[in-house]
Amino acid sequence: MEKKDWYLEISTQVLSVDVNHIGDFLFEEPEKSFLGNWDLRLSPDSHHAANLLQAVRKLQTSDLPVAFPTETVYGLGAGATRGEAIAGIYKAKQRPADNPLIVHISSLTQLRQLFNLSPGLDKTPLDGFSHDPIPAIYHSVISRFWPGPLTVLLRLPKPSPLAPSVTAGLPTFGVRMPSSRLALALIHLAGFPVAAPSANASTRPSPTTAAHVLHDLSGRIELIIDGGPCQVGVESTVVDGLVDPPVVLRPGGVSIEMLSQCPGWEHVVVGYRDGVETGVPRAPGMKYKHYSPTARVILVHGKLNIQLLTKYLRGCKKAGIATTKTWRVEDLAASGASITQRAAETGRALCCSIVQHGTLDAMHSNANNGGPRRTLMATHGYERVADGEDSDTVHVVATDLGTSPVTIAQKLFSALRELDMHGVDVIFVEGIGADEGLTAAAVMNRLRKAAELEIQS
Ligand code: TXA
Ligand code: MG
């Protein structure tokens, strides 16, 4: 009999948690926010609270990681001090061992306790003692962006209670306080910081729904908490304030413009490069293939020029198009004449099925807020040919990411996965200007890592 891998024996459960129904968040004076001290009173009869507690127990006792939503993307979490459980993260994701994890905390007290070697330090106010383990440079950005999508690098405490594999041997560790109340509740109830990379299989696009996690990690982990789709859609901004000037190592939910408004961060510099990485990357994760669907991704600047795109369709049966600022699916129809001409030349017809974004998510996630989605099928005047009926036909599946960078960020990973599930061979994505600031730089950074080709149409 064929020997099975260990992980194929695991059955993966998806439990829904609506954070609005778990109980009451209680905040202490004077901060009255997650940056101050806070507590959670769970509702005794809530099945949402009961589901959350199952995840808490797994974090406390199991060596298999738990997937949970944050405001950026879904994370794959384990107790940051529990070496065996951290090993479980690397195993489930098949993540290279030299790519460190981000530590997630639910309060500043919890962060200071990692350093806490003498009692009393744990109550240090943010703008307080000089021996605060959080360097002064971070006070402005923490006050402004935590809880939220900003990861800061700190020097490891000595001795360090973190499992060594969290930091992959580096002398620093990345930490953030997520703004997702579900994530905060989970970490708070666990009672310890939770190390979590994005909950995708290594190299795949980061997951923004529980269905994405299930797709990648089914049979590899026991539990996924489904809290609905993530609001931000791209991962946190990673910054290093231990060097002068401070550096952005990964663009993300917090933009460089927003950072540079904070005292001490006026001269913040970009320390990442889009596209193919060369040399020694500052953030270890930067050197790996990332965000890649199975289909090849071609990033296109300029007009939707179908004739140009058909150059890349050799041997393809299905192509995906992700539109952003200017491309319109109707333009496929507008360029009908040239395509028909090309079809006559090559004997290939172009059949266009328009699928609205989110169709597959709706099928796979019970916590999708968008309600039932429609699938539009349109032929735009081309001969409509069913799958496999005519091997000379390229089917085009189009998905609209919206026009604003914030919306594009929310939908990007989901759209790449969705087009993959349609079985497309190639995905053309309409690029946006990375210099538009805000989230545009984060979107283009992820796209350049996913794309094998960047072209001008
Ligand atoms: O939004 C996020 O940050 C998500 C959610 C789950 O919180 N997490 C996430 O984790 O994106 P991950 O593992 O996919 O990416 C962590 C990034 C990697 O590029 C890693 O190399 C970098 O942070 N990183 C972590 N610790 C570091 C360190 N000590 N020095 C430099 N880079 C570090
Ligand atoms: Mg990741």
Side-chain angles (χ1 to χ4, degrees):
M1 210 176 93
E2 206 181 312
K3 192 170 169 289
K4 279 190 175 173
D5 285 331
W6 63 272
Y7 54 76
L8 295 178
E9 308 291 340
I10 299 170
S11 89
T12 307
Q13 203 183 1
V14 182
L15 293 178
S16 282
V17 175
D18 181 341
V19 73
N20 297 314
H21 293 108
I22 60 172
D24 298 315
F25 289 85
L26 309 166
F27 299 98
E28 264 180 32
E29 305 278 359
E31 292 93 346
K32 288 195 92 174
S33 77
F34 287 108
L35 282 184
N37 285 331
W38 63 276
D39 204 354
L40 176 60
R41 190 168 45 212
L42 290 178
S43 305
D45 302 327
S46 159
H47 74 271
H48 295 282
N51 285 351
L52 185 62
L53 282 174
Q54 280 204 43
V56 169
R57 260 174 242 122
K58 279 252 180 306
L59 281 176
Q60 290 169 337
T61 58
S62 171
D63 289 342
L64 291 175
V66 173
F68 64 98
T70 78
E71 73 281 17
T72 57
V73 299
Y74 273 68
L76 186 62
T81 55
R82 303 187 60 233
E84 289 296 314
I86 299 295
I89 294 180
Y90 284 92
K91 204 166 180 178
K93 271 190 70 122
Q94 299 190 313
R95 182 179 176 99
D98 62 346
N99 192 4
L101 311 177
I102 292 173
V103 175
H104 296 69
I105 49 158
S106 59
S107 69
L108 289 175
T109 302
Q110 203 176 50
L111 173 56
R112 290 192 172 108
Q113 274 166 350
L114 284 177
F115 293 84
N116 160 27
L117 310 165
S118 56
L121 255 189
D122 58 347
K123 293 267 186 208
T124 309
L126 191 57
D127 50 1
F129 296 176
S130 57
H131 54 283
D132 184 356
I134 305 172
I137 178 79
Y138 288 127
H139 291 188
S140 61
V141 290
I142 286 179
S143 313
R144 169 128 185 233
F145 299 115
W146 277 12
L150 180 73
T151 297
V152 305
L153 295 195
L154 295 179
R155 276 186 203 90
L156 266 186
K158 284 184 191 158
S160 168
L162 295 176
S165 46
V166 167
T167 60
L170 292 174
T172 55
F173 70 106
V175 61
R176 81 178 189 100
M177 186 191 292
S179 64
S180 153
R181 285 189 305 145
L182 203 163
L184 288 166
L186 180 71
I187 302 163
H188 175 81
L189 293 169
F192 45 68
V194 171
S198 47
N200 50 293
S202 224
T203 80
R204 299 268 305 151
S206 296
T208 55
T209 66
H212 298 160
V213 182
L214 188 63
H215 179 269
D216 280 17
L217 301 182
S218 175
R220 294 167 171 267
I221 58 175
E222 282 177 331
L223 185 58
I224 300 170
I225 292 295
D226 184 349
C230 301
Q231 292 305 305
V232 178
V234 290
E235 306 86 342
S236 61
T237 302
V238 180
V239 295
D240 183 355
L242 302 175
V243 291
D244 186 22
V247 183
V248 177
L249 295 178
R250 179 176 72 179
V254 168
S255 73
I256 197 154
E257 293 85 345
M258 290 152 91
L259 278 168
S260 63
Q261 289 162 9
C262 295
W265 291 77
E266 295 83 357
H267 305 295
V268 58
V269 294
V270 166
Y272 62 88
R273 288 175 44 157
D274 287 348
V276 182
E277 303 293 342
T278 51
V280 180
R282 294 280 306 278
M286 289 160 117
K287 72 179 179 215
Y288 295 108
K289 185 178 171 196
H290 260 118
Y291 314 120
S292 306
T294 309
R296 56 197 291 238
V297 175
I298 301 181
L299 177 56
V300 189
H301 297 277
K303 291 211 167 80
L304 176 56
N305 178 344
I306 297 291
Q307 271 170 309
L308 174 81
L309 299 193
T310 52
K311 269 177 55 182
Y312 299 93
L313 291 176
R314 190 186 295 267
C316 291
K317 294 219 183 303
K318 263 193 185 178
I321 294 190
T323 63
T324 60
K325 295 236 173 205
T326 63
W327 293 4
R328 293 290 158 263
V329 171
E330 303 81 64
D331 296 346
L332 287 170
S335 51
S338 52
I339 293 170
T340 311
Q341 199 181 1
R342 186 166 178 90
E345 279 166 24
T346 62
R348 290 163 78 96
L350 205 64
C351 165
C352 176
S353 344
I354 306 170
V355 178
Q356 275 195 339
H357 175 81
T359 309
L360 291 168
D361 283 353
M363 274 160 38
H364 291 283
S365 168
N366 57 5
N368 196 304
N369 294 336
R373 310 283 176 110
R374 287 176 310 141
T375 301
L376 299 175
M377 299 294 284
T379 56
H380 285 311
Y382 309 125
E383 187 190 353
R384 170 96 181 275
V385 189
D387 256 347
E389 203 174 289
D390 176 349
S391 59
D392 264 354
T393 302
V394 180
H395 294 248
V396 177
V397 184
T399 184
D400 182 23
L401 302 182
T403 53
S404 86
V406 170
T407 318
I408 297 166
Q410 270 168 1
K411 293 182 173 177
L412 178 66
F413 289 141
S414 183
L416 292 179
R417 284 174 175 270
E418 183 177 334
L419 291 172
D420 238 5
M421 290 178 91
H422 279 280
V424 302
D425 306 292
V426 58
I427 299 173
F428 300 104
V429 188
E430 180 190 4
I432 57 174
D435 52 357
E436 279 178 52
L438 298 174
T439 359
V443 165
M444 287 306 289
N445 170 266
R446 304 309 188 273
L447 269 176
R448 289 192 164 120
K449 285 185 194 294
E452 80 173 46
L453 209 61
E454 184 166 358
I455 60 171
Q456 186 73 44
S457 69

